[in-house]
Amino acid sequence: MPTNAAPRPEVTPTPLDIALQYNSQNWPVFPCRHMPEDVADPHTGEIETRGAKTPLIPNGLNGATLNTPLVGRLWTRFPHAMVGIPTGEKIGAWVLDIDVPPGHTDGRIWLAEMEAKHGLLPPTRTATTASGGRHYYWKYVSEVKNRASIGPGADLRGEGGYVIAPGSVMADGRGYTWDNDFEIAEAPAWLVELVTPRPAAPVAVQAYEHRPSQANDRYVEASVEDELRILASHPVGGRGAKVNATAYRLGRFVGAGLLSRPDAEAGLFAAAQANGVVQKDGEREIWAKIRRGVDAGILNPKQIPEPEYVDDTPPRDHSLMVQRAREKDGAKLQAANDNEPPPSTNTDLPVVNPADWQGKEVPPREWFIADWIPHRQVTILSGDGGVGKSLLALQFGAASALSVDTAGLSPRPGRVLYLGAEDEEDEFHRRLADIVRGHGRQLSDLSDFRLVPMADLDALLAVPDSKGVLQPTKVWTKFCDLARGFQPGFIVLDTVADLFGGDEIKRGQARQFIGMLRKLAIELDCSIMLLAHPSQEGIRSGTGSSGSTGWKNSSRSMLYFSRSDDKEADTDLRFLTNKKINYAGVGSEIRLRWESGCFVPEAAGSSPAIGLINRKAEKIFIDLLRTFSRTGQTVGASPGTNYAPAKMAKHPNSNGISKKSLESAMQRLLDDGTIKLVWEGPKSKPRQRMMVSADDYGTKDEG
């Protein structure tokens, strides 16, 4: 045997590999450009050049995520993207960025002067940048914010900033590399003091005077005035973001019909002029921020408290009444049977005596879809990737918003809120256009439908804490606020893999997550559908189960959407099966067919398109049967070597019609007499032969 085998070539990690490596270290990541790119502003239509290292997702560093499936989708979409990591609390470190020529002042000179004055920097983790500069990583300090030019050629990447992670490579081949594997050290006191920002004094370029509107409610007017005064006096740093945030809050009043949009926008612009951001960023940019913020706020209308009323009724001494009531209760208790326990008067539990229901009407069971999706509960819709479960859930939601039947079922009419973490807005646009067209309606009819597309965002709704207890995220809080304002009757959450930050095989965490969803369903009086991918065992067994049994046990209904496991089966055919339902029979199945972008019941004549498909299969069957007869090939209706549908499906002239479709066509043609079976040969060993009835010129039919 040779002893000098050639060494294996070193495998270069892909950008996705690098992103996942940082995720494994609990550092969130987001994709950044590896080269300059021309991008059209969706609001103004203007073309601007985004430089290398700029974020590729709309929310930039705020989109940094630890969600592994989302990371995979982002780098599938941007395969050459460099890895951005947010500095500050999210990674537990801030970065001193030292630039070098050309194109920058030499920050090494400034750093050498500082070290000569204060002392050498302690050893810490460092990285060399693509331009030859250096990043010094220091342990997180909450006071260290993101700042530029703390010295000539020296920048600060703290809270609110980000850096490109080592391992990333630019389009021209230059890359970022770690210099060492040292532990990240604490920065020396002199450096922390140097980089800690001094509090900025409020800037008011113009005097601000709020002009109240007589048309507004007193509560609304006070709230609006407070918001605008805070904006007008906001200090330098983050003024643009403050404009957008204040516009959103005022937009919520506009959405509730409590404030006119012109009043809100005029007040916002006046306050922005007062703090100087209009002079800094320009009128067009500030007006754009105001409009975007107000638009977003309108979608989440404000819920204001009920007005307070002054009660002038004079107080009255009730002590004597209370004393007499207690004396009566005591007398009743003494006269009671000794075996009857006294009623509990000190409990927070919702105790109910069923005897009190005597004579009352039994409340009817409520459904979103009768016998399939119970109301005020969580239903899991499980299905393998690509089977179309997202499309089916979207179809249920659209039908509810349109108040129409769909897929042979009758969803409860009402508002719908759909959170989709796997598909982008354009994909939802295409799908909904097909769905409304299939129902003879238009997209403008979906006024009761709200979509939250989060394919390029971190959509985790809950993550476990250090003790393994599931905790809601900010995304969940915002989603609940949106739902409370919109009041949907049906909510779709797509999918578990993107929304659940715990361990799917841990029963306790699964039950906590379903419980969190059920609580919202009860609060809003709505139905919730949670989409999930089945495990390999769930696919193999046909149960559609995923991970822990906690998912199925905690939900009140579980549906499984699947294809046939026959390799020659009709690829457009689907099966919706009821795997669990607490309030109806289990095992119900609906056969659906994908047609023109949506699912329809698989039944002959259910639509013109299906009738056309069936007629095509029947014509192919008849043509091939005649071909076989003409060439002396015998086929029959019994499974075996000469089984007609199997032989026809393999014939070059089958036009791709599947064995399953040809079987259905054969049965219909036999039923209506278009084809028939005849028996040939001696009586001791007759042979079955199938033929077209119209082609029988005297053969005796013994079939």
Side-chain angles (χ1 to χ4, degrees):
M1 295 178 61
T3 58
N4 55 346
R8 294 181 180 180
E10 184 176 347
V11 178
T12 303
T14 66
L16 174 58
D17 294 334
I18 296 167
L20 293 175
Q21 181 182 0
Y22 284 105
N23 257 193
S24 68
Q25 299 172 13
N26 212 34
W27 280 18
V29 297
F30 64 100
C32 294
R33 290 176 176 82
H34 72 306
M35 62 186 297
E37 180 183 14
D38 290 337
V39 178
D41 189 318
H43 302 285
T44 65
E46 296 181 352
I47 303 295
E48 62 174 309
T49 299
R50 304 277 175 86
K53 301 187 291 185
T54 56
L56 278 161
I57 54 178
N59 57 345
L61 66 92
N62 293 322
T65 179
L66 291 169
N67 187 332
T68 300
L70 176 56
V71 171
R73 288 201 303 276
L74 287 173
W75 264 269
T76 299
R77 182 180 173 190
F78 308 113
H80 303 295
M82 296 195 293
V83 179
I85 51 176
T87 49
E89 185 176 11
K90 289 184 178 180
I91 66 167
W94 61 274
V95 173
L96 176 63
D97 182 7
I98 300 299
D99 294 325
V100 297
H104 297 281
T105 304
D106 196 336
R108 293 172 296 187
I109 298 175
W110 172 85
L111 181 58
E113 292 175 351
M114 293 298 102
E115 287 187 306
K117 181 177 180 180
H118 301 287
L120 296 177
L121 292 176
T124 190
R125 181 81 63 86
T126 63
T128 298
T129 68
S131 60
R134 179 160 293 176
H135 286 167
Y136 292 80
Y137 286 75
W138 306 101
K139 283 188 177 179
Y140 170 69
V141 177
S142 60
E143 292 79 14
V144 178
K145 309 299 180 184
N146 199 55
R147 288 175 60 194
S149 300
I150 61 171
D155 298 318
L156 176 64
R157 308 299 176 207
E159 197 67 40
Y162 71 94
V163 293
I164 301 300
S168 299
V169 179
M170 300 184 71
D172 59 11
R174 294 178 298 147
Y176 291 73
T177 58
W178 287 115
D179 299 327
N180 54 57
D181 59 356
F182 296 166
E183 291 291 327
I184 297 177
E186 292 186 1
W190 65 264
L191 181 58
V192 173
E193 182 179 358
L194 184 66
V195 301
T196 302
R198 302 293 185 270
V203 174
V205 176
Q206 300 178 11
Y208 174 73
E209 179 181 356
H210 178 69
R211 297 181 180 179
S213 171
Q214 299 300 322
N216 293 338
D217 175 274
R218 185 170 61 181
Y219 166 81
V220 174
E221 186 57 41
S223 300
V224 170
E225 182 178 1
D226 285 346
E227 292 286 357
L228 294 179
R229 289 195 183 281
I230 292 172
L231 173 60
S233 60
H234 195 276
V236 174
R239 287 176 295 176
K242 185 65 177 177
V243 169
N244 187 263
T246 307
Y248 169 78
R249 286 192 280 271
L250 265 59
R252 297 188 66 194
F253 285 108
V254 175
L258 302 170
L259 177 67
S260 75
R261 180 162 189 155
D263 284 350
E265 292 182 345
L268 287 162
F269 189 76
Q273 282 184 313
N275 72 24
V277 72
V278 173
Q279 292 80 354
K280 173 180 175 291
D281 293 346
E283 291 189 8
R284 185 171 64 178
E285 175 64 21
I286 297 304
W287 275 118
K289 289 180 183 292
I290 290 173
R291 284 192 291 270
R292 291 197 294 268
V294 172
D295 286 343
I298 288 174
L299 296 177
N300 185 20
K302 182 76 172 178
Q303 303 294 316
I304 68 169
E306 294 293 328
E308 296 182 359
Y309 297 96
V310 178
D311 186 358
D312 295 329
T313 305
R316 182 176 179 181
D317 185 4
H318 297 284
S319 58
L320 184 59
M321 295 172 61
V322 173
Q323 180 180 351
R324 288 178 179 175
R326 286 177 176 172
E327 290 173 355
K328 289 182 180 180
D329 288 341
K332 290 180 181 178
L333 183 61
Q334 291 177 0
N337 189 304
D338 292 340
N339 294 326
E340 181 180 349
S344 176
T345 59
N346 185 26
T347 178
D348 293 330
L349 298 177
V351 180
V352 174
N353 184 354
D356 295 338
W357 295 335
Q358 180 64 37
K360 294 184 179 180
E361 183 179 354
V362 177
R365 173 76 61 200
E366 292 187 274
W367 299 89
F368 176 71
I369 295 180
D371 298 333
W372 289 86
I373 302 177
H375 190 53
R376 294 166 63 89
Q377 296 291 344
V378 179
T379 294
I380 294 178
L381 174 60
S382 177
D384 197 11
V387 75
K389 61 183 177 296
S390 297
L391 174 59
L392 183 62
L394 197 67
Q395 191 171 325
F396 285 157
S400 176
L402 295 170
S403 299
V404 298
D405 291 353
T406 195
L409 299 170
S410 301
R412 180 174 181 157
R415 291 184 168 187
V416 177
L417 182 59
Y418 192 116
L419 191 163
E422 288 195 331
D423 296 297
E424 299 178 61
E425 181 179 344
D426 288 349
E427 181 59 29
F428 284 113
H429 188 169
R430 289 187 287 268
R431 291 181 180 180
L432 284 171
D434 288 337
I435 291 170
V436 296
R437 188 184 304 114
H439 288 93
R441 306 292 285 273
Q442 299 178 339
L443 286 170
S444 58
D445 295 323
L446 289 177
S447 57
D448 283 340
F449 196 106
R450 292 292 183 274
L451 178 67
V452 184
M454 300 187 69
D456 56 352
L457 303 172
D458 190 342
L460 289 176
L461 303 181
V463 295
D465 59 19
S466 58
K467 298 181 180 179
V469 178
L470 218 58
Q471 300 295 339
T473 65
K474 292 181 180 179
V475 177
W476 171 251
T477 301
K478 292 178 181 178
F479 182 78
C480 289
D481 288 343
L482 173 61
R484 292 184 183 107
F486 185 59
Q487 289 293 306
F490 184 50
I491 292 176
V492 179
L493 302 173
D494 182 12
T495 66
V496 167
D498 302 285
L499 307 177
F500 174 68
D503 188 338
E504 287 193 40
I505 66 173
K506 290 187 177 179
R507 185 182 297 110
Q509 292 184 0
R511 295 183 69 89
Q512 290 173 42
F513 190 63
I514 295 294
M516 187 177 81
L517 303 185
R518 183 183 297 114
K519 182 178 180 182
L520 182 65
I522 294 173
E523 176 191 342
L524 298 182
D525 189 32
C526 72
S527 310
I528 294 181
M529 174 173 279
L530 177 64
L531 275 55
H533 296 292
S535 63
Q536 289 300 315
E537 173 60 23
I539 296 173
R540 187 195 63 77
S541 64
T543 62
S545 59
S546 172
S548 165
T549 56
W551 296 105
K552 184 175 181 180
N553 293 341
S554 300
S555 62
R556 291 297 176 263
S557 174
M558 184 170 182
L559 313 180
Y560 184 42
F561 200 44
S562 61
R563 290 190 179 94
S564 172
D565 54 6
D566 185 348
K567 294 181 179 179
E568 297 183 351
D570 185 349
T571 57
D572 291 336
L573 188 63
R574 304 288 193 277
F575 304 93
L576 180 63
T577 311
N578 197 329
K579 295 298 183 182
K580 174 190 176 180
I581 182 71
N582 283 29
Y583 316 119
V586 177
S588 301
E589 181 178 276
I590 296 177
R591 293 162 65 94
L592 300 174
R593 179 180 294 280
W594 184 89
E595 174 197 318
S596 301
C598 54
F599 293 108
V600 298
E602 206 276 333
S606 63
S607 72
I610 287 185
L612 183 63
I613 292 170
N614 290 340
R615 289 193 294 274
K616 179 180 178 182
E618 291 164 6
K619 184 178 184 304
I620 294 292
F621 192 100
I622 292 171
D623 290 346
L624 287 175
L625 183 55
R626 282 176 168 152
T627 298
F628 290 158
S629 297
R630 188 174 63 251
T631 57
Q633 301 180 67
T634 300
V635 293
S638 301
T641 306
N642 295 327
Y643 186 44
K647 291 191 70 172
M648 290 178 178
K650 298 176 181 178
H651 196 278
N653 293 337
S654 66
N655 285 351
I657 301 296
S658 68
K659 172 187 169 186
K660 200 81 171 179
S661 294
L662 290 167
E663 284 178 331
S664 299
M666 178 181 71
Q667 190 60 54
R668 290 192 298 271
L669 294 171
L670 285 170
D671 291 343
D672 65 17
T674 302
I675 61 175
K676 65 178 182 178
L677 298 173
V678 298
W679 296 86
E680 299 174 331
K683 291 185 178 181
S684 60
K685 193 175 181 181
R687 291 184 304 169
Q688 184 189 91
R689 181 166 69 89
M690 185 183 295
M691 66 180 299
V692 179
S693 298
D695 296 345
D696 186 1
Y697 305 114
T699 304
K700 184 178 179 180
D701 183 1
E702 300 178 2

